[in-house]
Amino acid sequence: MNKFISHESAVKHVTGESVYVDDIPVDERLLTGHVVYSNHAHARIKSFDLTAAKKLPGVHAVLCFKDIPGENQMGPVIRDEPCLAEKEVNFIGQAIFLIAGESEEICRQAEQKIKINYEVQPTILTIDESIKAKNLLGPERKINCGNIEIALKECDQVIIGEFNTGAQEHWYLETQACLCLPGEKNEIMAFSSTQHPTETQTLIAEVLGILRNEVVVEVRRMGGAFGGKETQANHTACWAALLCQATGQPVKIRLFRDDDQKMTGKRHPFLIKYKAGFSNQGILSALKFELNSNGGAVADLSFAIMERAMFHVDNAYYIPNLSVIGKVWKTNLPPNTALRGFGAPQAIVAIENIIDRIARVLNRDAATIRKNNFYGIKTRNKSHYGQEVERNHLHTLYNKITRSSQYWKRRSDINQFNKEHNFIKKGIALSPVKFGISFTTSFLNQAGALVHIYQDGSVLVNHGGTEMGQGLHTKILQIAAAEFGVSPDRIKISATNTSKVPNTSATAASTGSDLNGMAVKNAIDTIKNRLAGFVSAQFQKENKLKVVNPKQILFKDNFIIHKDLPKLRVSFDEVVKSAYLAQISMSATGYYRTPHLNWDKEIGSGRPFNYYAFGMAVSEVMLDVLTGYHKILRTDILHDVGDSINPHIDIGQIQGGFIQGLGWCTTEECKWDKEGHLLNHSPDTYKIPAVSDIPEDFRVELLQNKPNPNAIRKSKAVGEPPLMLAISVWLAIKDAISAIFDHKKEPILPVPATNENILLSIKNLRQ
Amino acid sequence: MHRAPTHNALCAFSPIPILQFGQININPYFPVRSMKQVISMSTKISFVLDGKIASIDFNREKRYTPTTTVLNYLRSLPNHKGTKEGCAEGDCGACTVVLGELGHDRKIHYKAVDSCLVFLPMLHGKQLITIENLKSPDDTLHPVQQAMVDTHGSQCGFCTPGVVMSLFALYKSAIKPTRLNIEEALSGNLCRCTGYVPIIEAAEKACVKKKKDHFSGNEKTVSKLLQKIKRNSLSLKTGNQNYFCPKSVNESLQLRKKYPNTLIICGATDIALRVTKNYEKLPEIIDLSFISALQGISHKKNSTEIMAGTTLSEIKRYANNRFLALHKMLTVFGSDQIRNLATIGGNIATASPIGDIAPLLMAYHAKIVLVSKKKKRRLAIEDFITGYRKTACRKNELISAVIIPHPKKDTQIKFYKFSKRKDLDISTVSGGFYLELAKENKVKSIKLAFGGMALFTRRAYKTEKFLEGFEWSFKKVEQAGTILEKEFRPISDARAGAEGRILAAQNLLLKFWSETRVD
């Protein structure tokens, strides 16, 4: 396989030719869709008047919940989310009315003419407020192993604490967007920037009250998604579809940046309470966690996210007695949702903070404590939910990265530096990640594909996965080329389309290439079997051989070849032509489901993951004690992607994921005022990492020679796991703060470690 | 929001040695011109796009108004969808385009700008280059495009056109970029996918060893086209909106008299947000960015005069090795795309409570020159800023220049900024500090000016007084922090809490001490 091809859209990207939803040419009948949303976090809608807005010239429709022909519902899992608010609004940014007009300006004028009479209700915004009000979004969940209470009593030392992590905005460059075109009668065609075309199709059908076979959803590519378009792209799509159906004209909604940030959910803020028991040697024996997340006003994916958080409180460590409770709290904020890592980052930073604390209590280096607690290879290798940690690369990674990063030498250099400097301190930290790959809702682990060969020998591959920049289509293209034994330029990956491949899962949970790659391979195998049968019969006939077994037929270098008699070869193109004449089908569907998964929510045990991905990072920072500024001097990453299908793409995912995690750990901060207005609703005040924020010296390597037997072409998923390696930076900052006090005091530092939070943390330690 | 009304203008002059301005304009404020010229104003704008002169007559073309942004204009065209909107406030750079401007040296100078912040009239007389123009006519990718492909510099591709345009501007600039130059050139482009590593690599690959591209080959043709465009005053009246681009200070003052409530812009990187974010109509605008007499920097005997319409990019270039604190401040002010538009006059006219420039100008003992038809007056910057977004500029006046006295020997001027992110972030707290030490390490004179701590940028007079005459020691400066704390009542907002702001201000003072102490 050619592993080193460029992103299949690279040339289109750099020339501006790649088409996103807002770039699709539409005729002059196109209307602009506009969403009128609540400006109150919690209020009753006593009355409203749309008359004046409807009368405004250029306005084609003004819709409220009463105008929804189908079901007023767009919750993806739990059906608790109205498409348009009825009697009550529960967060600022909740959609109430929809306007279709001839221009953006007309829509805004119409919005000014809408009168709403609210009765403002008390709001709950934070986890603490929600806990006080006992405002759970749903039942709490538990996973237990061993005997936590006894273990806590029997261990040498116990630490207790609380830990906060903040919200994170996805900040996909392309905001939520959908263009709907009306077809015949009920038909609707939606070009949506969605990670989950099937769910978008489902919800459009439901709100419109039509069958799913009337709705086609197509996704060429997204301008970034990161989980933010897993469920919440559905909203924009449903709204555009309603307006399209109501007006009979094409309608496009593209959210403005500020509206997008205000209306859509974020990474869940967590409040984590813990009790950890360990030996004087620093071996963890007991961990008791209470995970509290701010779910927002409705469920969205909060429970699945909490579940993944609960699965990852161990991160890389064997903890024989572990109890974790997960509680999702309801608040008057937009529903928080999937974001790369899906609950795992919050859980992992919590356990890493605990290890860091233990190291400080014992006056040992945290890297050693980490290593001593890693899952074992043959013993100490069962997770708290009962899954064995197979093919554990943690020890290999640790040995390699401590060497390649010269961790111990740098640690002592840093200690020396810190002795000599008062206002500048350095810090270093190593952090691992072990990330479970699979949707934890087991049935979602399925995928479909549809592959055609045309008579000129070109191949069109359709699959259920969506392209959001992660290079899925490129990898699929490589897989298809390798399976067919043809050059990649023969293959085209079509836009993802629900009429080509139905009933798909979201492109999420890092499973895109695992699931769809297998489904595509399955379709190709079907076609290859037909062609191999046809070719072997031909070889037999033309060469008067006794028997040619189709299994002896190879697809290689644009030829179809007899394995044992390589002189018997015929070009792929010729075979295609003659197979068509011989009335052989060159189109097939493919399907895949991940085998051997089982997970029993009720008893909290099973095998939820197909395999684990591992990675490790060492980061060094320099902190200006007076301003809280920090510079990442160097980051080393060694990451496990199995046999990489495309090393450039995988390294890109690692670098990009790390930097996105860095934003969550350092500069990205969401604040709300007392009324529930998001204060950081644009990049003016919401700061994702810029070019100068990346490590000065950034070394990323892939772990070599560790094939993964459980996935396509022995590869591993890579989308989410590297994000959590950025925790090494957060820990290094903490180490630098701790150095001010000669590592004798435990810094209390939340995520994100903004320079403000760093200064406050230092101030608290001084007092 | 941030930044400065500014002019975009005539960086036609940027490559010319700055002193020329002083030589050309003996009386820059009142060039001898007949007032009849004001009457013969043009109602349409012309610029070069896709190798041709494109014109917009606002009286005929109802789709656009003078405050339509270049981004929205481009996206309304069928073949320019490559330019993307990511934020509509100049913070993400997805809409970056490059403006080619004819210099006095008859060469075209290329500058990256955020097209979401540029009003259409600002294009007048310039070449607008978009991502669609970069490929050669034979379909070969431009070296910066090819490098981005080779280094895997795009993932989702949405920020990519903007990134490529910034790289293109870097490619066309005179510099052989270092890593720092590359970071500066890209600080206005956010990418959420790649982590920037391959983009930096692409810049190194393409921009370190530059070759001629098809723009160099075409330069003469484009120059001729640009010369065809008449550079007269513009009076763009559309019924709902009057947008004036006068060519002289005199003309501007006349217009100001006629339209006393007119909004004055010069770069408009701040004012543009009132259109893109608040959807304001802005009925009357005078755009000073076409007045060459308001541009340039001149070195005088004891001071340097910066004309109000000089862009921050030009000032940054000039300040390098001359005004260190000013240069340092400008490197963390906005981005290249912003600095190429924003002007110093525009910035101080906003009297933003945060402004980085104003506190530093206080430290420099700078004076603001205000000009009216009858007279010219100079005000200390402290007296110029009178309140929250209020200045001493009268309705018959314009800001014409900023005068920075050359710092005396043995004085120290420093700038510090506390913000969430290093680049392209408005200060949470900024500090412009001045120190003159007498013998025995005693403070002879000190100025401590802060942004982000009050309704307007102002000095910490009580803290200054507390320190004056005393030893410049850690202990004393630490004590001064308690005075500082009482002197300001900062707010809590999206950027930081009040406690964090106080702490930051105190620490910036300590930092100043740590960098100026005499051991």
Side-chain angles (χ1 to χ4, degrees):
Chain A
M1 180 167 54
N2 183 357
K3 291 188 163 197
F4 295 96
I5 68 169
S6 295
H7 193 288
E8 48 86 37
S9 288
V11 170
K12 284 174 253 173
H13 289 157
V14 300
T15 53
E17 288 161 17
S18 44
V19 174
Y20 302 81
V21 170
D22 196 32
D23 307 332
I24 298 170
V26 195
D27 65 43
E28 67 285 355
R29 290 164 70 242
L30 175 68
L31 299 174
T32 300
H34 183 81
V35 186
V36 180
Y37 57 76
S38 166
N39 211 24
H40 293 285
H42 189 198
R44 285 202 192 102
I45 299 172
K46 289 168 73 182
S47 63
F48 58 84
D49 186 357
L50 305 177
T51 331
K54 285 180 179 172
K55 276 187 192 155
L56 195 76
V59 170
H60 288 240
V62 182
L63 308 181
C64 69
F65 73 93
K66 292 175 196 160
D67 302 309
I68 296 177
E71 204 181 337
N72 184 14
Q73 200 297 120
M74 55 180 188
V77 183
I78 297 166
R79 304 174 73 81
D80 63 347
E81 187 169 7
C83 184
L84 295 175
E86 298 191 5
K87 305 279 179 216
E88 195 179 59
V89 284
N90 282 296
F91 60 92
I92 290 171
Q94 186 176 357
I96 313 174
F97 309 112
L98 303 171
I99 302 172
E102 285 166 14
S103 73
E104 199 48 61
E105 200 183 330
I106 288 168
C107 291
R108 277 197 300 271
Q109 285 168 5
E111 178 174 7
Q112 298 303 314
K113 294 190 181 296
I114 293 177
K115 291 190 190 92
I116 314 173
N117 190 359
Y118 289 108
E119 188 180 290
V120 175
Q121 302 291 309
T123 58
I124 293 174
L125 301 173
T126 65
I127 294 173
D128 283 328
E129 287 166 8
S130 192
I131 290 173
K132 265 182 209 147
K134 300 190 171 130
N135 207 25
L136 276 175
L137 246 174
E140 60 180 51
R141 302 275 304 279
K142 281 180 195 166
I143 300 175
N144 279 310
C145 75
N147 190 322
I148 184 73
E149 297 306 333
I150 292 177
L152 279 171
K153 271 180 207 153
E154 288 178 352
C155 62
D156 296 336
Q157 301 198 40
V158 173
I159 53 173
I160 298 172
E162 278 191 15
F163 188 72
N164 281 293
T165 67
Q168 184 180 27
E169 161 64 39
H170 303 81
W171 233 85
Y172 28 68
L173 259 288
E174 178 207 29
T175 53
Q176 304 280 0
C178 182
L179 164 69
C180 286
L181 306 181
E184 288 181 358
K185 208 163 179 245
N186 286 337
E187 283 174 2
I188 198 151
M189 173 82 210
F191 296 92
S192 167
S193 182
T194 176
Q195 286 174 256
H196 199 343
T198 288
E199 195 167 80
T200 303
Q201 173 201 23
T202 304
L203 289 166
I204 288 176
E206 285 178 11
V207 294
L208 296 185
I210 58 179
L211 294 174
R212 294 183 202 179
N213 61 11
E214 304 274 16
V215 183
V216 177
V217 174
E218 181 167 307
V219 186
R220 174 76 263 177
R221 62 172 64 75
M222 284 167 271
F226 312 108
K229 296 172 181 173
E230 184 172 349
T231 61
Q232 303 203 356
N234 299 332
H235 306 181
T236 302
C238 288
W239 299 326
L242 281 165
L243 288 170
C244 176
Q245 196 196 44
T247 59
Q249 286 181 229
V251 174
K252 179 164 69 187
I253 300 182
R254 178 184 64 93
L255 296 185
F256 280 104
R257 174 61 63 187
D258 299 58
D259 290 336
D260 188 299
Q261 284 191 235
K262 287 177 195 170
M263 293 165 74
T264 63
K266 323 252 165 280
R267 185 190 296 289
H268 291 68
F270 266 58
L271 163 64
I272 296 162
K273 300 181 181 178
Y274 63 86
K275 218 180 224 189
F278 53 97
S279 70
N280 290 333
Q281 286 71 47
I283 302 297
L284 270 162
S285 58
L287 253 181
K288 195 174 177 178
F289 273 113
E290 184 188 295
L291 308 183
N292 299 282
S293 75
N294 187 330
V298 292
D300 193 271
L301 296 172
S302 288
F303 292 96
I305 289 162
M306 179 53 82
E307 190 170 54
R308 182 166 284 272
M310 292 165 75
F311 284 138
H312 285 83
V313 288
D314 59 336
N315 192 18
Y317 311 110
Y318 174 71
I319 303 152
N321 303 284
L322 193 152
S323 130
V324 52
I325 297 179
K327 300 176 187 182
V328 181
W329 297 97
K330 187 174 175 175
T331 59
N332 295 112
L333 291 180
N336 287 321
T337 190
L339 203 178
R340 206 176 196 172
F342 207 74
Q346 295 96 319
I348 290 177
V349 74
I351 176 74
E352 292 303 333
N353 183 51
I354 289 170
I355 303 255
D356 200 49
R357 246 188 102 175
I358 292 172
R360 213 164 277 110
V361 167
L362 300 174
N363 199 20
R364 302 268 303 274
D365 189 87
T368 311
I369 305 290
R370 291 197 159 85
K371 172 183 180 272
N372 293 344
N373 281 287
F374 282 157
Y375 276 106
I377 305 293
K378 288 195 173 145
T379 57
R380 293 169 51 88
N381 64 352
K382 211 169 187 193
S383 74
H384 54 293
Y385 45 88
Q387 177 160 355
E388 194 180 308
V389 180
E390 294 163 337
R391 292 178 204 86
N392 173 358
H393 302 322
L394 289 164
H395 301 272
T396 314
L397 289 168
Y398 180 88
N399 292 335
K400 283 180 187 285
I401 203 166
T402 44
R403 223 177 304 136
S404 64
S405 70
Q406 295 185 291
Y407 179 85
W408 295 108
K409 182 186 177 298
R410 283 161 68 202
R411 163 56 78 197
S412 78
D413 290 351
I414 286 167
N415 290 347
Q416 190 56 37
F417 177 94
N418 288 339
K419 272 184 202 153
E420 291 160 7
H421 293 82
N422 279 332
F423 295 121
I424 306 281
K425 297 286 178 188
K426 287 185 178 179
I428 191 168
L430 172 147
S431 77
V433 64
K434 164 188 124 286
F435 194 84
I437 302 298
S438 285
F439 287 102
T440 58
T441 304
S442 297
F443 72 82
L444 294 174
N445 295 292
Q446 57 174 314
L450 174 63
V451 176
H452 309 315
I453 307 176
Y454 294 97
Q455 289 173 62
D456 61 355
S458 66
V459 177
L460 185 69
V461 176
N462 305 268
H463 63 93
T466 54
E467 176 67 34
M468 58 197 90
Q470 82 280 44
L472 173 60
H473 285 355
T474 313
K475 285 185 176 176
I476 296 286
L477 190 150
Q478 290 174 280
I479 291 165
E483 295 297 332
F484 271 133
V486 300
S487 46
D489 56 18
R490 294 295 193 83
I491 317 262
K492 186 179 163 71
I493 310 294
S494 76
T496 313
N497 184 305
T498 53
S499 68
K500 300 278 174 59
V501 180
N503 308 323
T504 57
S505 292
T507 307
S510 307
T511 59
S513 47
D514 284 14
L515 297 176
N516 296 292
M518 283 293 203
V520 166
K521 180 180 185 302
N522 178 244
I524 292 175
D525 284 346
T526 305
I527 299 176
K528 276 166 73 179
N529 281 340
R530 292 180 200 144
L531 292 179
F534 169 68
V535 170
S536 56
Q538 271 200 328
F539 283 166
Q540 199 174 326
K541 204 168 120 194
E542 285 166 13
N543 300 284
K544 295 179 182 146
L545 298 167
K546 269 188 186 164
V547 190
V548 179
N549 188 329
K551 284 185 181 157
Q552 293 172 293
I553 300 296
L554 281 184
F555 289 69
K556 209 181 153 192
D557 303 331
N558 295 319
F559 279 89
I560 297 175
I561 307 166
H562 191 294
K563 197 163 88 182
D564 306 317
L565 304 165
K567 279 186 184 168
L568 296 187
R569 51 192 269 145
V570 55
S571 82
F572 186 79
D573 288 0
E574 275 176 57
V575 171
V576 166
K577 269 183 206 143
S578 46
Y580 170 72
L581 296 174
Q583 294 169 302
I584 287 169
S585 162
M586 285 180 291
S587 173
T589 59
Y591 183 79
Y592 175 74
R593 77 176 78 87
T594 312
H596 316 303
L597 296 180
N598 67 78
W599 165 242
D600 188 330
K601 275 184 190 179
E602 298 313 313
I603 59 167
S605 179
R607 186 178 192 275
F609 301 118
N610 184 19
Y611 60 88
Y612 295 103
F614 301 93
M616 216 165 280
V618 172
S619 290
E620 178 182 348
V621 302
M622 186 158 75
L623 174 71
D624 181 329
V625 171
L626 291 174
T627 62
Y629 269 115
H630 41 84
K631 178 87 206 152
I632 306 170
L633 299 176
R634 177 171 162 186
T635 290
D636 291 62
I637 290 176
L638 184 56
H639 200 81
D640 155 39
V641 295
D643 279 354
S644 176
I645 291 174
N646 187 321
H648 290 305
I649 284 178
D650 287 347
I651 286 174
Q653 286 296 298
I654 295 166
Q655 290 166 336
F658 177 86
I659 297 300
Q660 193 169 35
L662 175 69
W664 174 64
C665 287
T666 59
T667 56
E668 295 182 37
E669 191 175 33
C670 293
K671 290 181 176 181
W672 289 267
D673 70 10
K674 281 176 192 159
E675 279 81 44
H677 292 277
L678 177 66
L679 296 176
N680 320 68
H681 50 73
S682 83
D684 177 25
T685 51
Y686 188 76
K687 306 315 270 189
I688 70 168
V691 66
S692 53
D693 298 316
I694 70 169
E696 252 173 27
D697 183 355
F698 195 8
R699 308 181 189 193
V700 176
E701 278 186 55
L702 304 178
L703 181 65
Q704 299 296 321
N705 305 317
K706 299 287 179 196
N708 170 32
N710 293 9
I712 181 82
R713 299 195 85 85
K714 305 201 169 6
S715 66
K716 269 193 186 181
V718 69
E720 290 164 291
L723 183 134
M724 282 142 277
L725 295 176
I727 291 167
S728 62
V729 174
W730 183 85
L731 290 164
I733 293 170
K734 207 181 148 197
D735 185 51
I737 296 173
S738 165
I740 303 171
F741 307 93
D742 204 18
H743 302 289
K744 300 224 158 55
K745 289 184 175 181
E746 173 67 23
I748 307 296
L749 187 67
V751 169
T754 58
N755 49 4
E756 182 187 18
N757 285 335
I758 290 168
L759 290 191
L760 291 171
S761 170
I762 295 171
K763 186 185 175 186
N764 290 335
L765 289 178
R766 287 198 198 281
Q767 282 162 354
Chain B
M1 307 201 188
H2 38 208
R3 310 180 292 252
T6 32
H7 88 155
N8 150 8
L10 292 183
C11 308
F13 297 98
S14 51
I16 299 299
I18 298 296
L19 276 175
Q20 281 201 7
F21 288 103
Q23 291 157 7
I24 295 166
N25 299 305
I26 296 158
N27 182 349
Y29 311 113
F30 298 103
V32 187
R33 272 199 189 166
S34 103
M35 284 317 297
K36 277 177 190 165
Q37 269 187 301
V38 179
I39 298 154
S40 65
M41 282 173 160
S42 168
T43 59
K44 71 172 192 186
I45 60 160
S46 301
F47 50 95
V48 172
L49 177 63
D50 300 337
K52 292 183 292 247
I53 292 183
S55 292
I56 299 172
D57 187 334
F58 291 100
N59 289 335
R60 291 197 188 151
E61 179 53 86
K62 295 297 172 198
R63 281 189 298 170
Y64 313 120
T65 70
T67 49
T68 298
T69 62
V70 171
L71 171 63
N72 285 340
Y73 164 71
L74 286 171
R75 293 206 55 87
S76 76
L77 304 177
N79 299 320
H80 285 277
K81 304 268 193 215
T83 307
K84 307 296 182 204
E85 178 180 309
C87 71
E89 61 180 41
D91 271 309
C92 79
C95 69
T96 303
V97 296
V98 167
L99 297 182
E101 297 173 11
L102 199 56
H104 273 189
D105 56 0
R106 301 277 155 198
K107 283 187 179 155
I108 296 178
H109 300 273
Y110 299 91
K111 298 191 317 185
V113 297
D114 293 311
S115 64
C116 68
L117 298 179
V118 182
F119 296 144
L120 281 174
M122 297 176 186
L123 290 180
H124 186 62
K126 294 177 189 132
Q127 180 190 13
L128 170 59
I129 304 167
T130 72
I131 188 72
E132 287 82 2
N133 303 133
L134 254 55
K135 263 202 296 194
S136 298
D138 68 355
D139 244 24
T140 320
L141 295 180
H142 189 274
V144 295
Q145 291 175 312
Q146 189 58 51
M148 281 285 284
V149 173
D150 294 343
T151 62
H152 307 268
S154 71
Q155 285 185 24
C156 85
F158 203 83
C159 76
T160 312
V163 167
V164 169
M165 293 313 288
S166 287
L167 293 179
F168 171 68
L170 182 66
Y171 189 89
K172 299 304 284 179
S173 72
I175 53 170
K176 183 183 170 189
T178 60
R179 166 89 184 240
L180 201 67
N181 297 138
I182 290 168
E183 285 183 7
E184 268 186 44
L186 291 168
S187 70
N189 292 87
L190 295 179
C191 169
R192 192 56 149 169
C193 295
T194 62
Y196 304 101
V197 182
I199 299 175
I200 295 171
E201 231 176 279
E204 283 164 351
K205 204 169 167 177
C207 299
V208 174
K209 278 186 192 161
K210 298 172 188 174
K211 287 173 260 168
K212 285 203 166 170
D213 60 7
H214 70 95
F215 290 88
S216 341
N218 254 339
E219 198 159 319
K220 275 192 183 157
T221 321
V222 175
S223 299
K224 275 184 193 157
L225 287 176
L226 289 175
Q227 281 166 37
K228 276 189 196 166
I229 300 170
K230 277 192 184 169
R231 314 296 173 99
N232 45 359
S233 304
L234 299 176
S235 169
L236 310 164
K237 299 185 179 183
T238 64
N240 299 323
Q241 198 171 38
N242 295 334
Y243 191 113
F244 303 105
C245 302
K247 293 286 286 180
S248 73
V249 175
N250 206 5
E251 223 180 289
S252 318
L253 289 167
Q254 294 251 334
L255 284 165
R256 214 167 169 196
K257 197 175 170 191
K258 199 170 168 192
Y259 303 96
N261 297 317
T262 310
L263 193 62
I264 310 236
I265 62 170
C266 197
T269 54
D270 192 37
I271 296 292
L273 304 184
R274 286 171 59 180
V275 174
T276 64
K277 293 273 152 157
N278 297 350
Y279 315 115
E280 288 182 47
K281 291 276 176 269
L282 308 184
E284 282 171 1
I285 289 175
I286 300 176
D287 182 344
L288 302 181
S289 61
F290 288 81
I291 305 173
S292 51
L294 280 183
Q295 290 151 25
I297 303 170
S298 39
H299 183 91
K300 305 266 167 74
K301 196 177 170 205
N302 297 317
S303 64
T304 291
E305 185 181 47
I306 304 172
M307 301 312 294
T310 313
T311 64
L312 301 184
S313 287
E314 286 172 73
I315 300 171
K316 177 168 166 270
R317 249 192 310 274
Y318 184 83
N320 193 14
N321 298 323
R322 292 194 178 96
F323 293 94
L324 300 186
L326 181 63
H327 183 259
K328 179 187 165 191
M329 182 272 291
L330 290 173
T331 58
V332 289
F333 183 106
S335 60
D336 262 0
Q337 289 99 314
I338 304 282
R339 290 187 292 257
N340 283 336
L341 294 168
T343 60
I344 189 161
N347 179 275
I348 56 175
T350 60
S352 153
I354 324 174
D356 294 347
I357 295 181
L360 182 60
L361 288 181
M362 289 179 189
Y364 273 113
H365 299 69
K367 297 256 191 310
I368 309 301
V369 183
L370 295 165
V371 58
S372 67
K373 273 207 96 166
K374 292 195 181 116
K375 68 171 191 180
K376 200 158 107 173
R377 61 183 180 126
R378 289 180 177 200
L379 284 180
I381 172 104
E382 288 93 333
D383 299 325
F384 172 77
I385 293 167
T386 56
Y388 176 72
R389 294 201 174 267
K390 274 191 197 145
T391 72
C393 186
R394 296 178 190 136
K395 286 218 164 172
N396 62 350
E397 285 178 325
L398 289 173
I399 304 168
S400 76
V402 174
I403 293 173
I404 303 181
H406 295 152
K408 283 187 282 178
K409 269 187 187 171
D410 304 323
T411 61
Q412 307 247 28
I413 294 172
K414 300 263 183 192
F415 174 77
Y416 301 100
K417 176 167 175 166
F418 181 78
S419 57
K420 262 197 192 124
R421 195 172 67 195
K422 178 175 154 272
D423 283 319
L424 189 46
D425 193 4
I426 296 171
S427 293
T428 305
V429 176
S430 63
F433 302 147
Y434 165 87
L435 177 72
E436 188 180 354
L437 287 179
K439 279 178 189 165
E440 289 163 0
N441 198 26
K442 294 265 163 56
V443 175
K444 187 173 170 195
S445 170
I446 189 163
K447 275 191 176 196
L448 305 171
F450 286 96
M453 292 294 288
L455 280 177
F456 50 100
T457 53
R458 71 168 183 84
R459 280 168 55 195
Y461 290 106
K462 288 178 187 164
T463 314
E464 290 173 3
K465 212 171 167 198
F466 178 82
L467 289 165
E468 244 160 27
F470 291 92
E471 196 189 351
W472 186 235
S473 68
F474 180 80
K475 205 178 154 195
K476 189 73 184 169
V477 173
E478 206 180 22
Q479 285 168 358
T482 58
I483 310 288
L484 193 64
E485 189 173 353
K486 285 177 200 141
E487 200 167 358
F488 289 106
R489 283 243 168 93
I491 55 163
S492 292
D493 66 4
R495 294 197 170 83
E499 189 190 357
R501 280 199 160 87
I502 293 277
L503 197 50
Q506 291 168 328
N507 281 4
L508 294 188
L509 189 51
L510 284 170
K511 182 129 184 97
F512 182 46
W513 172 82
S514 78
E515 291 185 357
T516 54
R517 65 178 163 172
V518 184
D519 288 318

